[in-house]
């Protein structure tokens, strides 16, 4: 059975020895960050701060802070199984025999039951505060780093609706608290929610928004996934957990939110209002600069009676978001292969903070194939922001940095094999020549062919013969080298 909500997930973590309860009073102002950072750096357990200073609400953090834990959260046993599920979802094949039909039926039933469904009521409406009753200062919201502009919601599910299509959009955006009922709304230029905001502005409308915190782990994770525009993140969450996400209608706005969330902020964003937000210690490991962003006005706060506040901290990797990014990488391999079938595997090292480096292994079939792969990746959604792409041959393990460095550095002629282009850049790329655009480089580190103009012999790898390896394996223990 899928996890019902956050506390169901926490119970599973505790049963597996992956949760530590902290009963000592700890301040949300910097202190929780310092503890969480130390734990995340060594892939330590999830943490539940039961007595955060200044609030009666416990704080849960590092919920996805290791590869095994993020796989547990998403209920993925192995990534090959995930690929098979995604491939069936993308290209369901008609069964041709009775046995095929029997095998296919459970998959069809599973897919049919993943669509979000609205229910009459849910735990997130056990307490309802409206208007002047709302005081965000009562929540244990973290100030993460010393130079941050203020206390900031981080592990969010910000829900809006496209005014043209009526489709729901969910995104994970930070919200810096300004006062008891207003926050910043950190919508980057390239985000879907920013487009929805601009569309509403052209129509002369406010943008209604709901910010859900908590819920089952797949629903908490889904807003971070860069799905194609128009794909409902809550539908994706239902696919991940194999069961529909239950929703309840908001109290003060026309949106639906996860019924099993811990708390929800309802409100609106004015089309013309801006306020300074930031600085903020970001996932790049550097502070993102203060800038003008829209303002979110909270009209209601709904929550469970015994709500737990879920949050995360980003900063210099490795941190919790790195393992979330790794899961997204694995999830999107089969989708990327549908568009670029030459891709065998790819990897975004933690040090590349998602958008600075991608290593791609391809099944090279024709001259300059590596460059086709580079440009294909630069045309794929959020992958367009990738600053450096290194393309290697299919037999290279993209997850082994030593092998990649050895192959790439040995295989390239820098002037011949580097291709520079100009295009959109990640908002958080502080080194780009201008905000939102700059240069990128693709590195063709594949073996070069005569048809690519390389007429010299390409050297083979130094590898011992299998026969000698087998003979030495047989006498290895007798040599006493490992004693």
């Amino acid at each position: 059975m899928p996890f019902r909500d956050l506390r169901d997930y926490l119970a599973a973590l505790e049963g597996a020895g992956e949760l530590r309860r902290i009963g000592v009073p700890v301040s949300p102002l910097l202190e929780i960050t310092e503890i969480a950072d130390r734990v995340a750096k060594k892939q330590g357990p999830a943490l539940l701060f039961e007595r955060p200073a200044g609030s009666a609400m416990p704080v849960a953090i590092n919920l996805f802070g290791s590869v095994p834990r993020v796989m547990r959260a998403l209920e993925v046993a192995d990534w090959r199984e995930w690929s098979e599920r995604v491939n069936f979802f993308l290209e369901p094949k008609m069964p041709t025999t009775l046995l095929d039909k029997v095998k296919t039926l459970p998959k069809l039933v599973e897919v049919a039951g993943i669509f979000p469904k609205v229910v009459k009521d849910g735990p997130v409406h056990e307490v309802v505060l409206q208007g002047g009753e709302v005081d965000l200062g009562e929540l244990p919201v973290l100030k993460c780093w010393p130079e941050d502009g203020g206390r900031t919601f981080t592990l969010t599910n910000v829900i809006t609706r496209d005014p043209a299509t009526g489709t729901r959009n969910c995104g994970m955006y930070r919200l810096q608290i300004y006062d008891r009922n207003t926050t910043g709304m950190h919508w980057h230029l390239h985000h879907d929610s920013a487009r929805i905001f601009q569309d509403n502005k052209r129509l002369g409308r406010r943008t209604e928004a709901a910010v859900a915190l908590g819920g089952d782990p797949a629903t908490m994770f889904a807003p971070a996934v860069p799905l194609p525009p128009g794909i409902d993140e809550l539908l994706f969450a239902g696919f991940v957990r194999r069961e529909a996400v239950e929703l309840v209608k908001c109290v003060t706005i026309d949106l639906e939110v996860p019924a099993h969330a811990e708390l929800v902020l309802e409100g609106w964003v004015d089309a013309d209002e801006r306020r300074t937000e930031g600085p903020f210690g970001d996932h790049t490991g550097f502070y993102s600069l203060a800038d003008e962003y829209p303002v979110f006005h909270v009209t209601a706060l709904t929550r469970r009676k015994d709500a737990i506040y879920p949050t995360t901290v980003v900063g210099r990797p490795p941190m919790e978001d790195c393992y979330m990014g790794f899961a997204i990488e694995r999830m999107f391999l089969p989708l990327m292969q549908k568009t670029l079938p030459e891709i065998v595997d790819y990897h975004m090292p933690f040090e590349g903070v998602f958008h600075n480096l991608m290593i791609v292994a391809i099944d090279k079939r024709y001259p300059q194939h590596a460059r086709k792969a580079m440009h294909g990746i630069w045309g794929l959604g959020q992958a367009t922001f990738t600053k450096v792409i290194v393309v290697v041959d299919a037999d290279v393990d993209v997850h082994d940095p030593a092998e990649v460095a050895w192959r790439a550095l040995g295989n390239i002629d820098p002037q011949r094999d580097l291709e520079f282009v100009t295009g959109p850049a990640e908002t958080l790329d502080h080194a780009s020549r201008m905000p939102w655009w700059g240069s990128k480089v693709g590195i063709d580190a594949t073996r070069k062919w005569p048809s690519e103009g390389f007429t010299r012999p390409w050297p083979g790898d130094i590898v011992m013969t299998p026969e000698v390896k087998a003979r030495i394996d047989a006498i290895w223990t007798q040599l006493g080298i490992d004693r």
Side-chain angles (χ1 to χ4, degrees):
M1 294 293 292
F3 294 114
R4 183 179 65 256
D5 51 25
L6 174 59
R7 54 207 59 219
D8 193 16
Y9 176 54
L10 291 174
L13 293 181
E14 190 162 32
E18 291 191 50
L19 176 71
R20 297 293 182 273
R21 294 176 178 268
I22 299 176
V24 178
V26 180
S27 175
L29 306 180
L30 306 183
E31 292 183 358
I32 289 180
T33 294
E34 177 62 15
I35 296 170
D37 186 29
R38 294 185 188 191
V39 172
K41 290 289 189 285
K42 59 180 182 179
Q43 296 193 55
L47 305 173
L48 184 64
F49 292 88
E50 297 177 313
R51 299 173 60 194
S55 178
M57 189 178 294
V59 174
I61 197 168
N62 205 34
L63 299 168
F64 303 99
S66 70
V67 172
R69 190 148 66 250
V70 78
M71 293 180 71
R72 178 190 293 272
L74 302 176
E75 299 173 81
V76 174
D78 65 72
W79 295 113
R80 286 172 298 182
E81 174 202 7
W82 168 261
S83 294
E84 292 171 2
R85 287 188 64 215
V86 171
N87 286 328
F88 177 82
F89 184 70
L90 294 174
E91 295 182 9
K93 293 181 173 62
M94 292 300 294
T96 56
T97 67
L98 178 60
L99 181 59
D100 287 341
K101 291 177 181 178
V102 171
K103 290 180 178 179
T104 301
L105 186 59
K107 296 181 180 180
L108 294 173
V109 171
E110 174 191 317
V111 172
I114 66 175
F115 291 85
K117 61 181 180 181
V118 178
V119 296
K120 185 176 181 180
D121 201 4
V124 77
H125 280 168
E126 290 174 350
V127 176
V128 177
L129 305 174
Q130 298 186 53
E133 297 176 311
V134 175
D135 184 359
L136 301 179
E138 295 179 351
L139 303 177
V141 181
L142 307 192
K143 179 179 179 180
C144 300
W145 300 104
E147 296 180 29
D148 284 0
R151 299 165 65 198
T152 304
F153 295 94
T154 54
L155 195 61
T156 63
N157 182 353
V158 179
I159 301 170
T160 53
R161 178 174 286 124
D162 190 312
T165 64
T167 57
R168 176 174 38 243
N169 181 71
C170 303
M172 189 173 289
Y173 311 117
R174 70 177 189 250
L175 291 86
Q176 178 184 315
I177 295 176
Y178 295 137
D179 53 44
R180 62 184 295 133
N181 59 7
T182 61
T183 77
M185 183 62 82
H186 197 259
W187 283 334
H188 283 185
L189 176 69
H190 303 111
H191 289 159
D192 290 335
S193 287
R195 176 186 56 78
I196 290 170
F197 172 71
Q198 292 297 332
D199 289 348
N200 277 323
K201 182 176 180 178
R202 281 190 285 272
L203 295 170
R205 301 177 183 172
R206 295 172 169 175
T207 298
E208 292 188 332
V211 183
L213 295 113
D216 69 87
T219 300
M220 295 172 64
F221 184 90
V225 179
L227 296 171
I231 303 297
D232 186 350
E233 286 79 6
L234 297 183
L235 171 62
F236 178 78
F239 175 71
V240 171
R241 66 197 300 266
R242 296 178 170 88
E243 187 174 290
V245 176
E246 292 187 342
L247 307 174
V248 291
K249 292 184 176 297
C250 287
V251 176
T252 59
I253 58 175
D254 185 24
L255 290 171
E256 298 84 33
V257 293
H260 295 276
E262 295 295 313
L263 61 150
V264 168
L265 308 179
E266 302 178 7
W268 50 268
V269 182
D270 186 81
D272 298 310
E273 186 180 10
R274 292 288 192 281
R275 194 164 168 180
T276 301
E277 189 266 4
F280 180 75
D282 229 313
H283 74 267
T284 59
F286 304 97
Y287 284 97
S288 56
L289 303 179
D291 204 346
E292 300 299 300
Y293 279 92
V295 178
F296 178 54
H297 294 262
V298 181
T299 55
L301 188 159
T302 71
R303 63 173 177 83
R304 294 171 178 256
K305 290 179 181 178
D306 57 347
I308 299 169
Y309 175 69
T311 190
T312 190
V313 176
V314 295
R316 183 170 177 172
M319 299 196 77
E320 180 178 5
D321 63 315
C322 292
Y323 303 103
M324 297 174 71
F326 173 78
I328 292 171
E329 171 194 296
R330 294 297 88 197
M331 285 179 156
F332 269 75
L333 176 60
L335 279 76
M336 188 177 285
Q337 289 170 328
K338 294 300 178 187
T339 304
L340 299 170
E342 61 266 35
I343 292 179
V344 175
D345 201 357
Y346 80 107
H347 180 50
M348 298 179 293
F350 292 169
E351 295 78 8
V353 297
F354 312 126
H355 53 79
N356 283 342
L357 176 62
M358 183 185 294
I359 302 163
V360 185
I362 66 166
D363 179 12
K364 185 173 176 178
R365 297 295 183 92
Y366 46 79
Q368 299 293 299
H369 198 163
R371 307 205 180 219
K372 183 262 188 186
M374 297 171 196
H375 289 279
I377 292 166
W378 282 323
L380 283 177
Q382 296 288 318
T384 192
F385 303 126
T386 308
K387 191 189 300 191
V388 179
I389 298 175
V390 181
V391 183
V392 295
D393 289 296
D395 60 346
V396 177
D397 181 358
V398 296
H399 302 279
D400 183 342
E403 182 178 0
V404 170
W406 172 61
R407 292 281 187 184
L409 295 173
N411 283 4
I412 64 167
D413 174 277
Q415 187 177 46
R416 179 194 63 203
D417 294 329
L418 273 64
E419 178 163 352
F420 292 92
V421 299
T422 302
E426 232 285 350
T427 301
L428 299 179
D429 183 0
H430 63 272
S432 62
R433 64 191 68 187
M434 294 289 288
W436 306 310
W437 71 271
S439 66
K440 311 166 197 184
V441 63
I443 302 172
D444 180 356
T446 61
R447 300 177 184 88
K448 303 306 178 294
W449 294 357
S451 54
E452 293 175 304
F454 190 88
T455 57
R456 299 161 57 201
W458 193 268
D461 296 355
I462 299 173
V463 180
M464 184 53 69
T465 64
E467 294 79 12
V468 172
K469 282 179 172 287
R471 288 202 299 271
I472 298 304
D473 285 344
I475 65 171
W476 184 255
T477 56
Q478 301 173 35
L479 300 177
I481 295 174
D482 288 339
R483 292 176 187 170

